[in-house]
Amino acid sequence: MTPYIDGHCHLNSPELRGELDRHIDEARSAGVQRMLVVGTDLRTSEEAISISKGYFDSGIRASVGIHPHDASSVSSSLPEELTDLAKDPVVVAIGEIGLDYHYDYSPCKVQRDVMISQILWAEEADLPIVFHVREAFDDFFSILRDYPVDPERAVVHCFSGSLEEAKSCLDLGFYLGFGGMITFKKADGIRECLASCPIDRVILETDSPWLAPVPFRGKINSPLNMPLIYKAAAEVLKVRDSVMADAVWTNGVNFYRWENE
Ligand SMILES: [Zn+2]
Ligand SMILES: [Zn+2]
């Protein structure tokens, strides 16, 4: 059986990091052989790296970056402490970076500036990008016109935009990331986006500890729930479970240049 990949999780979050052995063992027993631990600021990026080093043989890798919520923490320029992290061989992506206008934890202008600096950083580091975009697609696309990212070198994780916005991301050659929300009753719009996404552009993720899939909605999520997300995605795309697993494995391994052991 093709193993599962959790393309985006936060094992470095307070909810999960206290019991890493358990969470990683449970997930691996359920067939989840790769997990990407995502940074959201300097500290969580460092933690993602240290978790990956500690559990390297368990298929854990790291991404480093500043989440739009934390954009104010780096203000005008990215600290060297942060940019140096991309040189670590366990780091397979820059992220999560982007724009989130739903909450104004950091001013929009600062979010845009920090997103741009990180696009340039990813280019220099030759790493793909994990984007987080919420209620900000107009500005997102406008930045990408001025600072283009190569096709197949970005994923818009936990996609929550419209069908039209999904198409625009796909036109740029990006991957779309889907998680527990595709199991939520009222998420027809997101399921429609997934249904319209070619299977070779789909990345699946838990975004744990958040967004636990049904029937665990509202509880603490962990990579263990990945199989439920695969099952839901296979139903939406109307493919066999094995076809879904093969496709997402190939996509994840190619996108994150994750060695195919
Ligand atoms: Zn996110
Ligand atoms: Zn995340």
Side-chain angles (χ1 to χ4, degrees):
M1 197 187 92
T2 310
Y4 302 116
I5 289 184
D6 186 346
H8 186 121
C9 66
H10 298 271
L11 288 169
N12 47 355
S13 64
E15 290 87 342
L16 298 177
R17 70 178 170 225
E19 284 188 279
L20 280 180
D21 279 345
R22 178 169 73 84
H23 290 303
I24 292 169
D25 281 356
E26 282 178 352
R28 286 187 64 88
S29 312
V32 187
Q33 304 267 334
R34 295 283 186 283
M35 293 162 241
L36 180 75
V37 184
V38 177
T40 53
D41 59 9
L42 176 61
R43 189 181 50 77
T44 54
S45 295
E46 286 168 344
E47 275 174 7
I49 291 177
S50 82
I51 293 172
S52 174
K53 286 186 196 293
Y55 295 87
F56 190 83
D57 293 338
S58 300
I60 313 292
R61 300 293 181 274
S63 83
V64 296
I66 307 291
H67 190 286
H69 289 339
D70 299 288
S72 300
S73 70
V74 290
S75 62
S76 53
S77 65
L78 302 177
E80 219 174 288
E81 266 176 293
L82 176 73
T83 52
D84 277 351
L85 297 182
K87 294 174 187 150
D88 197 297
V90 303
V91 171
V92 297
I94 298 298
E96 54 190 303
I97 74 170
L99 305 173
D100 191 325
Y101 295 173
H102 184 75
Y103 300 104
D104 55 353
Y105 294 141
S106 288
C108 298
K109 163 91 174 72
V110 177
Q111 291 189 32
R112 288 193 292 272
D113 290 347
V114 173
M115 172 173 151
I116 292 168
S117 341
Q118 294 187 100
I119 288 176
L120 301 173
W121 171 32
E123 192 175 72
E124 206 178 287
D126 190 25
L127 288 169
I129 299 178
V130 179
F131 281 118
H132 168 111
V133 187
R134 191 167 180 201
E135 294 172 22
F137 276 98
D138 287 350
D139 281 2
F140 176 68
F141 293 127
S142 120
I143 290 174
L144 288 169
R145 276 191 287 277
D146 295 334
Y147 300 90
V149 172
D150 285 344
E152 297 177 36
R153 293 293 272 165
V155 58
V156 179
H157 105 93
C158 196
F159 186 80
S160 63
S162 66
L163 194 56
E164 204 183 313
E165 288 157 348
K167 288 213 160 74
S168 303
C169 292
L170 293 167
D171 286 345
L172 291 168
F174 291 179
Y175 290 87
L176 297 182
F178 295 92
M181 281 199 293
I182 61 168
T183 68
F184 296 178
K185 213 171 166 186
K186 289 186 181 155
D188 285 336
I190 294 171
R191 278 187 289 273
E192 206 185 335
C193 292
L194 171 57
S196 78
C197 185
I199 197 166
D200 64 356
R201 282 292 168 274
V202 175
I203 300 274
L204 297 178
E205 57 173 71
T206 58
D207 204 12
S208 48
W210 305 291
L211 296 170
V214 170
F216 303 114
R217 196 169 172 187
K219 304 224 163 72
I220 290 177
N221 195 8
S222 84
L224 170 65
N225 290 327
M226 210 53 235
L228 292 169
I229 294 165
Y230 269 75
K231 199 153 194 49
E235 274 166 31
V236 171
L237 284 163
K238 301 193 171 63
V239 296
R240 283 177 196 274
D241 292 351
S242 61
V243 171
M244 195 73 236
D246 286 348
V248 173
W249 180 264
T250 306
N251 298 345
V253 166
N254 289 343
F255 177 65
Y256 292 119
R257 294 185 186 164
W258 223 322
E259 71 282 21
N260 197 352
E261 298 147 354

